[in-house]
């Protein structure tokens, strides 16, 4: 009997030692995880110093309390210790994601240019090896490094190269079989596809050249000093490195002290002198074909201002950001049905997902002032994103935002810039005053630097509008408060997807868009617009000014697969050229609204 009791006593002591050992391990793990978490919180550096000190003290006191409870063998202490360890591990994971996300801001960015080898569509050449010892013509642009392109081509095939100085001569020689092929920048090919068509050619090879994006902007302390961010929206989906036209050109001028934001939209067709070039001016959108720095330098010269940072986005970026925010509430000045995807937007605030906001941002054909109103809509989307991103709601879907938007845009903002701004904002959430401004002008046809062989539609900037913009930017920089362009969202509606009925068979269909049919815009079209049954009465008249441009947007549908990039904004420039003919029949007061 005594022997049994003795053995039981030994067993109890052993179990007690094992339990104490486990509890000690828990205490050690809790202490280590707590210290690591505090260090990690400091490294990520998103909390203001005072907040960090307060949070650290609370964490340490709570940990000490748990250790005391564990020492007193309180069961609740061990349960809480395990729970806190799991919470710290989860929070450390999210801090790691945050650090990794911000680190991506500081990585090296590249541009990717694409060059095409073209042959006549009826030629026997189908692949690059078929051109061995054949001739190829090219133009050596002052803004593009053709040497790298030719070197890459030489690695694939040996050819007889002929340099040209005139695009018309280059294409004429190909058509007349004076050369077997030509090498051309995809950006020029895309413009030609829209203006005169490219059905007579076929692409047999593509050469991609990556180049480093070097930023020479003036950096400032964005928590104290006013700064301007250039937002460039390129007309593509997918790879953000792709060099393409910059169809969205918006300046975000911010005074962090007064919390004043000025959004300035510069229309894509603005006729400006590209930085470092002589001769013809060009559309601002074409500056994007030469890289983001060309757009920045051109706008700096135009407005005589400093641009401190840039953010470069594409269609995919817009959808990802807005969907990650679980939608945004965007103000619309008009009720209209978008030409893209047929969404019906209502005057006032609309709750939009990413796809809807993109359609809203790209629409111009059904808006009274065309591209001017499109700029205002783009600014309204940015204002909605700012309002949502600086609200407390962002906390609930913060991990999703980081995950979905990483590597979907390019910027020269550093992780230090972003964390500094977050820390400042956390001390005083919201309260930003956002003012909208759009540069206006008058439309005309003129030659451009990028496409000098044919007149394109361009917009001559109005000097009064330009001076007003410069004045507004200077006011924000000097600390003045401007009138807000947006109120608090109320009576929010949801855009509807509508079905636009096709005209009946006995109704004469619009002619195909072509250069030869430009004059038809000077004749009133009495064909009933299917949108008339959808739009409210007060918006039908606003829509009539753009009816003709709505009917003529599909002549690129038969282009080959190599034109897919441009189908996102199908026939944009071709329609812009024809819209200019409307100016001959519009009253003077309407001309400014229909550039």
């Amino acid at each position: 009997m005594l022997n049994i009791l003795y053995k039981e006593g030994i067993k109890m002591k052993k179990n007690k030692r094992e339990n104490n050992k486990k509890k000690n391990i828990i205490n050690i793990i809790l202490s280590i995880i707590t210290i690591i978490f505090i260090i990690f919180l400091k490294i990520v550096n998103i909390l203001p110093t005072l907040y960090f000190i307060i949070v650290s003290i609370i964490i340490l006191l709570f940990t000490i309390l748990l250790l005391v409870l564990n020492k007193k063998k309180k069961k609740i202490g061990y349960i809480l210790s395990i729970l806190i360890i799991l919470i710290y591990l989860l929070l450390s994971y999210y801090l790691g994601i945050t650090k990794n996300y911000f680190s991506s801001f500081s990585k090296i960015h590249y541009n990717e240019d694409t060059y095409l080898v073209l042959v006549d569509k009826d030629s026997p050449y189908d692949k690059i090896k078929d051109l061995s010892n054949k001739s190829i013509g090219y133009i050596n642009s002052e803004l593009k490094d053709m040497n790298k392109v030719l070197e890459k081509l030489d690695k694939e095939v040996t050819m007889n190269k002929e340099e040209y100085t005139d695009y018309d001569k280059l294409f004429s020689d190909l058509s007349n079989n004076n050369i077997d092929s030509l090498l051309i920048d995809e950006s020029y090919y895309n413009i030609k596809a829209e203006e005169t068509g490219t059905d007579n050619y076929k692409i047999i090879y593509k050469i991609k050249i990556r180049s480093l994006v070097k930023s020479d902007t003036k950096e400032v302390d964005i928590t104290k000093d006013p700064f301007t961010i250039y937002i460039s929206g390129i007309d593509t989906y997918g790879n953000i490195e792709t060099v393409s036209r910059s169809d969205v050109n918006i300046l975000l001028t911010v005074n962090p002290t007064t919390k004043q934001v000025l959004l300035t939209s510069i229309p894509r067709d603005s006729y400006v002198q590209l930085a470092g070039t002589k001769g013809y001016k060009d559309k601002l959108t074409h500056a994007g074909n030469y890289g983001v720095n060309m757009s920045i330098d051109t706008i700096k010269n135009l407005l005589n201002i400093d641009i401190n940072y840039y953010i470069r986005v594409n269609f995919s970026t817009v959808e990802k950001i807005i969907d990650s925010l679980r939608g945004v509430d965007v103000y619309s000045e008009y009720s209209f049905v978008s030409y893209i995807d047929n969404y019906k937007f209502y005057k006032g605030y609309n709750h939009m997902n990413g796809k809807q906001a993109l359609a809203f941002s790209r629409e111009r054909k059904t808006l009274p002032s065309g591209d001017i109103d499109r700029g205002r809509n783009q600014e309204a989307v940015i204002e909605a994103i700012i309002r949502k991103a600086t609200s407390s709601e962002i906390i609930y879907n913060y991990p999703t935002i980081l995950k979905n938007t990483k590597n979907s845009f390019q910027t020269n903002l550093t992780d230090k810039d972003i964390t500094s701004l977050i820390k400042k904002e956390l001390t005083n959430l919201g309260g930003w005053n956002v003012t909208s401004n759009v540069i206006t002008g008058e439309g005309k046809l003129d030659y451009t630097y990028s496409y000098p062989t044919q007149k394109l539609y361009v917009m001559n900037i109005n000097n009064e509008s330009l001076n007003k913009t410069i004045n507004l930017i200077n006011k924000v920089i000097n600390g003045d408060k401007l009138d807000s362009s947006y109120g608090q969202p109320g009576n929010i509606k949801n855009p509807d997807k509508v079905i636009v009925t096709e005209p009946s068979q006995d109704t004469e269909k619009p002619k195909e868009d072509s250069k030869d049919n430009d004059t038809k815009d000077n004749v009133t079209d009495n064909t009933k617009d299917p949108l008339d049954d959808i739009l409210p009465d007060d918006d039908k008249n606003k829509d009539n000014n753009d009816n003709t441009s709505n009917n003529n947007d599909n002549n690129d549908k038969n282009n080959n697969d190599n034109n897919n990039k441009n189908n996102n904004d199908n026939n944009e420039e071709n329609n812009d050229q024809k819209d200019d003919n409307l100016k001959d029949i519009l009253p003077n007061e309407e001309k400014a609204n229909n550039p």
Side-chain angles (χ1 to χ4, degrees):
M1 186 67 179
L2 290 174
N3 188 36
I4 293 174
L5 290 174
Y6 175 75
K7 288 182 178 180
E8 286 294 326
I10 295 296
K11 186 176 181 181
M12 289 177 63
K13 287 182 179 179
K14 185 177 179 181
N15 290 336
K16 186 176 181 180
R17 283 197 299 270
E18 289 178 355
N19 288 335
N20 287 335
K21 186 177 180 181
K22 290 178 181 178
K23 292 170 184 177
N24 288 333
I25 291 174
I26 291 175
N27 289 340
I28 293 171
I29 293 175
L30 175 63
S31 301
I32 293 174
I33 294 295
T34 299
I35 294 171
I36 291 175
F37 177 71
I38 292 175
I39 293 174
F40 211 178
L41 194 60
K42 179 61 178 176
I43 292 173
V44 175
N45 197 27
I46 58 173
L47 289 179
T49 303
L50 180 60
Y51 286 16
F52 172 75
I53 292 173
I54 293 173
V55 169
S56 299
I57 290 174
I58 292 173
I59 290 174
L60 289 173
L61 289 176
F62 190 66
T63 302
I64 292 171
L65 176 62
L66 290 177
L67 294 175
V68 171
L69 289 175
N70 292 343
K71 190 173 183 180
K72 293 184 176 180
K73 303 178 183 180
K74 299 291 184 180
K75 190 174 183 180
I76 185 67
Y78 300 121
I79 295 174
L80 286 176
S81 296
I82 294 173
L83 181 62
I84 292 300
I85 289 172
L86 294 175
I87 291 174
Y88 285 168
L89 288 174
L90 181 63
L91 291 176
S92 296
Y93 169 73
Y94 284 132
L95 288 174
I97 293 177
T98 304
K99 180 63 177 175
N100 184 257
Y101 180 80
F102 290 153
S103 296
S104 68
F105 287 11
S106 302
K107 75 175 185 179
I108 298 173
H109 294 297
Y110 292 90
N111 281 336
E112 185 177 84
D113 288 278
T114 302
Y115 296 84
L116 311 174
V117 176
L118 302 184
V119 296
D120 189 88
K121 70 173 183 178
D122 297 323
S123 76
Y125 312 121
D126 294 315
K127 53 185 182 294
I128 193 65
K129 296 296 183 183
D130 294 340
L131 292 173
S132 179
N133 296 318
K134 302 296 181 181
S135 59
I136 186 167
Y138 69 95
I139 287 182
N140 201 357
S141 168
E142 62 181 334
L143 298 180
K144 299 281 187 176
D145 187 358
M146 289 299 294
N147 291 329
K148 289 184 179 179
V149 185
L150 295 172
E151 287 174 8
K152 207 163 186 180
L153 180 64
D154 286 339
K155 293 179 180 179
E156 296 296 327
V157 64
T158 300
M159 301 185 70
N160 300 317
K161 305 178 188 66
E162 298 182 26
E163 184 174 341
Y164 285 72
T165 58
D166 181 79
Y167 282 104
D168 280 348
K169 174 67 174 171
L170 177 65
F171 277 90
S172 175
D173 278 3
L174 179 64
S175 299
N176 295 327
N177 297 319
N178 293 328
I179 54 174
D180 300 300
S181 61
L182 62 83
L183 178 65
I184 193 170
D185 184 354
E186 188 179 40
S187 61
Y188 181 89
Y189 177 83
N190 292 335
I191 300 174
K192 185 175 181 63
E194 292 180 346
E195 297 303 327
T196 60
T198 52
D199 292 342
N200 294 328
Y201 315 102
K202 61 182 178 181
I203 301 170
I204 64 170
Y205 193 66
K206 292 185 177 183
I207 300 173
K208 294 186 182 294
I209 301 293
R210 295 181 80 211
S211 57
L212 182 67
V213 179
K214 297 179 181 179
S215 177
D216 57 356
T217 54
K218 178 183 177 182
E219 297 182 4
V220 297
D221 183 348
I222 63 175
T223 64
K224 299 176 182 177
D225 303 323
F227 58 93
T228 296
I229 300 175
Y230 167 57
I231 300 175
S232 170
I234 60 173
D235 60 345
T236 63
Y237 285 95
N239 184 8
I240 192 62
E241 291 184 355
T242 302
V243 172
S244 186
R245 297 174 304 183
S246 182
D247 274 3
V248 177
N249 301 277
I250 293 178
L251 296 180
L252 194 74
T253 305
V254 182
N255 190 313
T257 303
T258 60
K259 285 206 163 189
Q260 172 67 55
V261 175
L262 173 66
L263 296 170
T264 299
S265 176
I266 311 174
R268 66 188 295 278
D269 295 321
S270 297
Y271 199 42
V272 296
Q273 190 72 50
L274 299 187
T277 67
K278 297 178 180 179
Y280 293 129
K281 293 183 179 181
D282 209 337
K283 294 174 179 251
L284 179 58
T285 184
H286 290 168
N289 289 329
Y290 307 103
V292 68
N293 284 327
M294 172 60 81
S295 298
I296 291 173
D297 291 340
T298 299
I299 295 173
K300 284 167 64 176
N301 293 343
L302 175 68
L303 297 174
N304 193 27
I305 62 169
D306 286 325
I307 295 177
N308 309 101
Y309 306 98
Y310 70 84
I311 298 175
R312 190 168 177 267
V313 302
N314 60 13
F315 295 154
S316 302
T317 314
V318 175
E319 291 189 4
K320 286 179 180 180
I321 289 176
I322 291 174
D323 286 339
S324 298
L325 290 169
R326 299 179 183 175
V328 291
D329 300 325
V330 184
Y331 183 78
S332 174
E333 292 188 16
Y334 309 99
S335 295
F336 66 92
V337 175
S338 66
Y339 192 81
I340 300 171
D341 293 331
N342 300 328
Y343 287 113
K344 182 177 180 181
F345 299 101
Y346 299 91
K347 182 175 182 179
Y349 281 94
N350 297 256
H351 184 76
M352 304 180 192
N353 60 28
K355 191 172 183 180
Q356 292 166 341
L358 182 60
F360 180 81
S361 300
R362 296 179 63 191
E363 184 61 33
R364 69 177 176 87
K365 298 179 182 300
T366 57
L367 298 175
S369 296
D371 202 34
I372 301 297
D373 281 332
R374 172 164 60 178
R376 293 191 179 102
N377 285 352
Q378 291 165 354
E379 291 180 343
V381 170
I382 293 174
E383 185 275 336
I385 292 173
I386 292 173
R387 183 170 8 94
K388 189 69 172 284
T390 56
S391 71
S392 57
E393 294 181 50
I394 196 173
I395 297 172
Y396 304 110
N397 52 335
Y398 159 80
T400 304
I401 295 171
L402 299 189
K403 178 182 177 182
N404 292 347
T405 61
K406 185 182 179 182
N407 297 326
S408 66
F409 59 90
Q410 289 182 334
T411 181
N412 63 338
L413 284 162
T414 66
D415 54 346
K416 182 180 178 182
D417 292 326
I418 299 299
T419 54
S420 296
L421 201 57
I422 291 174
K423 287 161 67 175
K424 180 176 175 61
E425 184 62 20
L426 285 174
T427 62
N428 184 18
L429 277 175
W432 289 90
N433 184 67
V434 181
T435 303
S436 170
N437 175 53
V438 179
I439 291 179
T440 59
E442 295 76 38
K444 68 170 188 174
L445 296 178
D446 213 327
Y447 294 106
T448 60
Y449 177 86
S450 297
Y451 198 76
T453 57
Q454 180 179 331
K455 289 185 176 181
L456 306 181
Y457 175 83
V458 297
M459 188 193 84
N460 263 348
I461 293 176
N462 181 282
N463 284 332
E464 184 178 343
S465 175
L466 185 65
N467 291 332
K468 174 191 171 186
T469 297
I470 295 172
N471 185 44
L472 287 174
I473 291 174
N474 287 330
K475 281 186 174 183
V476 174
I477 291 173
N478 293 331
D480 293 351
K481 274 280 193 178
L482 306 179
D483 292 335
S484 176
S485 300
Y486 308 93
Q488 287 300 315
N491 191 25
I492 300 171
K493 300 181 177 66
N494 292 306
D496 296 317
K497 183 84 169 181
V498 300
I499 299 175
V500 179
T501 57
E502 293 291 335
S504 60
Q505 292 183 355
D506 57 349
T507 302
E508 183 181 354
K509 292 185 179 181
K511 296 178 182 179
E512 286 297 320
D513 222 355
S514 71
K515 184 179 177 183
D516 296 335
N517 291 331
D518 283 357
T519 56
K520 70 183 174 61
D521 284 340
N522 290 324
V523 181
T524 302
D525 184 0
N526 293 319
T527 303
K528 183 179 179 181
D529 191 334
L531 297 183
D532 287 346
D533 297 327
I534 302 169
L535 288 172
D537 290 338
D538 59 343
D539 285 317
K540 290 179 182 176
N541 292 331
K542 296 174 183 175
D543 201 47
N544 287 338
N545 287 335
D546 289 82
N547 274 345
T548 48
S549 62
N550 277 337
N551 291 331
N552 303 287
D553 200 59
N554 294 309
N555 74 320
D556 277 345
K557 284 185 179 178
N558 295 323
N559 281 0
N560 59 39
D561 291 341
N562 298 294
N563 290 332
N564 284 343
K565 185 175 108 174
N566 295 294
N567 289 340
N568 295 326
D569 201 0
N570 200 11
N571 215 26
E572 176 102 25
E573 298 189 23
N574 206 17
N575 278 297
D576 283 344
Q577 179 180 334
K578 283 187 279 293
D579 286 345
D580 188 67
N581 295 325
L582 289 173
K583 304 218 179 290
D584 297 331
I585 59 173
L586 288 174
N588 291 333
E589 63 269 22
E590 290 295 321
K591 291 182 180 179
N593 289 332
N594 290 274

